[in-house]
């Protein structure tokens, strides 16, 4: 069974600085998707960034970028120029591309990010 | 375009009771997935509905059941509530295998 592990329960960053959140996963599949979701205190789960495993290029979305190491099964999120609004729980998630279901998400336990002014 | 909505926002029930949670999918979406998020944990997949049929289920007992209606809205029913059922219940809608968009969740407390 696929698993997702986030080894940092909490992280802290100074406003305008850069922070990296770690995620490792386990799967025997060669094609899959990886995601980072943000969950602020409002509880709404918001998609931050998505990576397709068959793409070698790391995904970027404005201040958010990933370091995808397929062989190491590692998928870290880098947040540049951190802002107060980035404070939230961040979840790493895995999803199969193929298979009978429509592709349910498997989440890690999350990392709580605090941003200091 | 209306996003995913869930009702109610909060709910308090007593152990042994039954509860129904509701989810309205985003316009154009035909798939609804339900997740349970216990305090301090990541969401766990309960089940998914695609075109009104259950299309995948996680490791949850049969007292967790659901429905999807012709307009693709969905219900999650939980019978014989247990204290451990206290959690945030998230619904996500998508068009088939495309991106899942989450609702704001329903906070269920079982006393």
């Amino acid at each position: 069974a696929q698993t997702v592990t986030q080894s940092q329960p909490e992280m802290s960053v100074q406003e305008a600085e850069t922070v990296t959140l770690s995620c490792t996963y386990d799967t025997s599949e060669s094609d899959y998707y990886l995601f980072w979701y943000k969950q602020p205190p409002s509880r709404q789960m918001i998609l931050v960034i998505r990576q397709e495993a068959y793409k070698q290029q790391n995904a970027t979305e404005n201040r958010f970028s990933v370091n995808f190491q397929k062989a190491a099964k590692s998928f870290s999120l880098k947040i540049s120029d951190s802002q107060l609004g980035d404070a939230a729980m961040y979840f790493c998630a895995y999803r199969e591309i193929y298979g009978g279901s429509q592709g349910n998400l498997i989440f890690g336990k999350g990392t709580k990010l605090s941003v200091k002014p | 375009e209306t996003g995913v909505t869930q009702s109610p926002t909060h709910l308090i029930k007593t152990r042994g009771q039954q509860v129904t949670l509701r989810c309205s999918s985003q316009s154009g979406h035909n798939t609804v997935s339900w997740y349970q998020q216990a305090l301090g944990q990541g969401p766990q997949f309960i089940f998914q509905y695609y075109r009104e049929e259950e299309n995948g289920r996680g490791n949850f007992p049969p007292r967790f059941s659901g429905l999807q209606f012709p307009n693709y809205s969905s219900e999650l029913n939980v019978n014989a509530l247990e204290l451990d059922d206290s959690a945030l219940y998230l619904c996500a809608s998508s068009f088939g295998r495309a991106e899942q968009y989450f609702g704001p969740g329903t906070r269920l407390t079982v006393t």
Side-chain angles (χ1 to χ4, degrees):
Chain A
Q2 294 87 357
T3 59
V4 177
T5 302
Q6 293 179 249
S7 58
Q8 306 156 315
E10 294 189 28
M11 291 284 283
S12 181
V13 64
Q14 205 71 32
E15 195 176 6
E17 297 294 309
T18 296
V19 64
T20 298
L21 309 184
S22 301
C23 172
T24 58
Y25 59 94
D26 190 25
T27 183
S28 58
E29 302 293 326
S30 58
D31 288 329
Y32 46 86
Y33 295 115
L34 294 166
F35 305 85
W36 279 98
Y37 280 89
K38 169 185 177 181
Q39 188 178 41
S42 67
R43 311 179 320 201
Q44 186 105 29
M45 196 74 78
I46 301 164
L47 177 64
V48 174
I49 199 164
R50 177 177 108 160
Q51 175 79 42
E52 291 88 348
Y54 58 86
K55 288 186 178 179
Q56 292 185 335
Q57 188 172 5
N58 289 324
T60 62
E61 285 288 341
N62 301 314
R63 299 182 295 108
F64 299 88
S65 62
V66 299
N67 183 4
F68 173 49
Q69 301 289 327
K70 190 173 184 179
K73 296 181 181 174
S74 169
F75 182 61
S76 61
L77 174 70
K78 186 171 84 171
I79 306 174
S80 305
D81 185 25
S82 296
Q83 300 175 359
L84 295 177
D86 294 334
M89 285 292 292
Y90 285 81
F91 292 95
C92 178
Y94 165 99
R95 199 187 95 187
E96 287 184 3
I97 291 181
Y98 306 110
S101 75
Q102 294 293 315
N104 58 283
L105 293 161
I106 299 170
F107 287 88
K109 289 189 175 182
T111 296
K112 183 178 181 181
L113 178 66
S114 302
V115 181
K116 297 177 180 177
Chain B
E1 183 179 270
T2 306
V4 181
T5 61
Q6 292 186 243
S7 62
T9 304
H10 297 94
L11 201 52
I12 299 174
K13 288 287 190 178
T14 303
R15 191 171 49 183
Q17 286 187 317
Q18 178 265 343
V19 69
T20 298
L21 310 182
R22 294 178 175 82
C23 171
S24 291
S25 58
Q26 188 165 314
S27 176
H29 289 182
N30 57 11
T31 302
V32 172
S33 303
W34 285 93
Y35 295 84
Q36 180 196 65
Q37 186 178 14
L39 195 62
Q41 302 293 317
Q44 287 202 313
F45 175 68
I46 302 174
F47 47 56
Q48 183 181 81
Y49 278 84
Y50 171 63
R51 293 185 176 179
E52 302 179 56
E53 302 240 341
E54 188 177 292
N55 183 46
R57 188 178 185 93
N59 189 26
F60 281 82
R63 58 190 186 82
F64 285 78
S65 63
L67 281 174
Q68 188 178 33
F69 300 99
N71 66 354
Y72 302 124
S73 65
S74 177
E75 284 183 357
L76 164 64
N77 299 292
V78 186
N79 293 323
L81 282 167
E82 300 177 0
L83 296 179
D84 285 349
D85 295 334
S86 295
L88 179 68
Y89 288 84
L90 296 167
C91 148
S93 77
S94 62
F95 182 77
R97 287 186 165 277
E99 222 60 73
Q100 293 187 16
Y101 292 85
F102 283 84
T106 293
R107 171 74 66 190
L108 173 65
T109 302
V110 182
T111 61

